[in-house]
Amino acid sequence: MSQGKPQNITLLGGTGSIGGSTLDIVARHPDLYRLYAVSGYRRIHELAAICRQFKPAFAVVPDQVAADQLETEIAGLNTAVLVGKDALDRVAAAESVDIVVAAIVGAAGLLPALAAVKAGKRILLANKEALVMSGQLFMDEVRRSGAELLPIDSEHNAIFQCLPAQGTCFDDNSLPVSGVRQILLTASGGPFRGYNSDQLAGVTPEQAVAHPNWSMGQKISVDSASLMNKGLELIEACWLFSVKPEAIQVVVHPQSIIHSMVAYNDGSVIAQMGNPDMRTPIAYGLAWPNRIDAGVKPLDLFQVAQLDFEPADEVAFPCLALARQAFSLGGTAPAILNAANEVAVQAFLDERIGFEQIPELCRYALDCLPVEPAVSLDIILASDCKAREICQPYLEHLSMHRIKAQ
C-alpha cells in the first residue's frame, strides 16, 4: 500500500454492523484511511461517539431533532452536522472523497449510492437494494462514470475474489468468459434451517434476529432467516457479474466458512474461505487490489473439522423463489418485491404478522401491481411507493387473521 496521504472515506450507515466493522479497520490503519463523513439514523448517541473518536468533517442525520441532539453531544468538535437526503448525496459525491461505503439498509440507501457512482468514486456496496431496485440503471451509470464498484456482502465479495480478473461471468452477448460455468452462492440457512411450514408459523422476532453465525442488524437478520436475503443476493449477483439466474445455484452451508464458489468448465471449483467476520470483505474492498490486516482471527481448519452442504428448501422458504420470479419478470418487479418485503419485515418485528406471512405479503404485491419498464429512477421510486401503499390494507387483513387464529 502507498504510504502517501490517507484516503478519505464517506461511511453511509455508520451506526450499523457494517459501519462498526468499517470503523474498526479505519482505526487499525490511520496512515491509510481517514473518516471524512459519516451518517446515522436514530442512534445519535452512538453517532456522537463516532464523531468524537474519528473527528469527521461532516455528520449527516435525518432531521432537525436529531441534528440538535448531535450538535449538543459533539459541541466543540469541528464536525459540521448536515440534515436530510440531499446531504447524504452531497457527502457521497464530495470531491474530497476517495471511497464511499454504502451501508444504509433498505431502499433509503439507493440514492446516495447512486450519487457516489455518478461522481466516479470507489463504492464498497453493502446495500444490496441499490442493485435489486435499479440494477440496469445502476450498472449503466457505473460503466459511464468509471466508478469502481466492489461488493462487500461476504458472498458477493467471495465471488469477486474467485472470478477471473475481469470480474464477470458472461459477455454482452450472454456468452461465458474464461471458462466460468456456474456461481455457487452459499447460505447459512439462518436460525430456522430444517424447519417446516408449521414450525415457522410459531417463530418469534427474537428468534429470527438471532443469527447463528453473523452479527447483523434486525432487518437483514430476518431476511436471512426467511431466505429473502439470499433471493436479493441472487438478483444482485446477476447484475454485478452479468450472469443469468439459472447459472446461480444456492447452496446451504451452515458453518458459513465457505462464503461462495465459482465453478469452471474444466471441473475446477474455486472457493473463498474464512471465519464469518465482515471485516474481511470490507478490508478487501478498502485495500483492493492489495490486502491489509483486518483483525480477523485466522481460519483453523482442524477446529472447523467438517463442512456440510444441502439444497435450499424453497417450499418452506418461498422468498427465494419469489426473488427469482421478480428478476424473471424484470422491470420494476424487483423494486416491488423489495418494498413489500421491507413492509412485511417491519410488521413482523412489530409482531403484527407472523413469520410465515412475510412471503404472503410479498407475493400479494407482486401479483397486484403491474410491472413497468424500469427506464428511469422516478419510475422505480414510484413503484416502491405504490408497493408500500398497496401492502397496507392487506397487511391489516393478515394482522386480523393472525389475531383470530390466536
Side-chain angles (χ1 to χ4, degrees), residues 102-321:
I104 294 176
V105 175
L110 168 59
L111 292 178
L114 192 57
V117 168
K118 290 180 177 180
K121 306 300 182 183
R122 170 177 288 195
I123 300 97
L124 274 56
L125 188 66
N127 173 279
K128 60 180 60 64
E129 289 81 6
L131 283 174
V132 169
M133 294 175 66
S134 62
Q136 188 67 64
L137 289 177
F138 199 91
M139 295 307 295
D140 285 348
E141 196 60 51
V142 168
R143 287 185 280 269
R144 186 201 65 78
S145 68
E148 290 182 323
L149 183 63
L150 298 173
I152 56 171
D153 268 346
S154 63
E155 294 84 357
H156 298 97
N157 187 267
I159 294 165
F160 183 84
Q161 294 191 49
C162 295
L163 281 173
Q166 65 265 42
T168 187
C169 301
F170 290 80
D171 64 18
D172 292 338
N173 297 312
S174 297
L175 297 174
V177 297
S178 300
V180 172
R181 184 179 65 82
Q182 189 181 44
I183 285 177
L184 302 171
L185 183 66
T186 61
S188 71
F192 308 133
R193 180 175 62 90
Y195 279 37
N196 60 35
S197 299
D198 291 338
Q199 290 172 308
L200 289 173
V203 304
T204 67
E206 290 75 19
Q207 292 171 313
V209 301
H211 195 281
N213 300 327
W214 296 94
S215 175
M216 305 182 294
Q218 286 192 322
K219 195 268 182 183
I220 193 172
S221 294
V222 175
D223 282 349
S224 179
S226 72
L227 290 193
M228 180 61 85
N229 190 50
K230 206 52 51 180
L232 299 180
E233 286 179 2
L234 185 146
I235 295 173
E236 185 182 9
C238 288
W239 290 117
L240 278 170
F241 307 118
S242 301
V243 64
K244 296 183 181 301
E246 52 267 27
I248 300 176
Q249 181 179 2
V250 174
V251 178
V252 174
H253 166 52
Q255 290 88 0
S256 296
I257 295 299
I258 294 178
H259 301 302
S260 275
M261 298 167 272
V262 174
Y264 288 84
N265 289 336
D266 63 1
S268 299
V269 177
I270 297 178
Q272 190 269 334
M273 304 172 66
N275 283 314
D277 191 317
M278 284 306 299
R279 291 177 295 178
T280 295
I282 294 168
Y284 183 86
L286 287 172
W288 183 83
N290 301 300
R291 292 181 186 265
I292 57 175
D293 173 44
V296 177
K297 181 181 178 182
L299 180 63
D300 184 343
L301 288 174
F302 299 110
Q303 184 178 12
V304 174
Q306 180 175 324
L307 300 175
D308 297 308
F309 307 95
E310 60 191 60
D313 182 357
E314 295 189 22
V315 175
F317 299 89
C319 285
L320 181 54

Side-chain angles (χ1 to χ4, degrees), residues 132-133 234-235 238-239 245-246 320-338 362-375 383:
V132 169
M133 294 175 66
L234 185 146
I235 295 173
C238 288
W239 290 117
E246 52 267 27
L320 181 54
L322 287 173
R324 291 184 189 273
Q325 176 189 348
F327 187 85
S328 297
L329 289 171
T332 56
I336 292 168
L337 175 68
N338 180 73
C362 293
R363 187 180 294 110
Y364 172 80
L366 278 177
D367 289 343
C368 289
L369 277 178
V371 175
E372 302 177 62
V375 294
S383 292

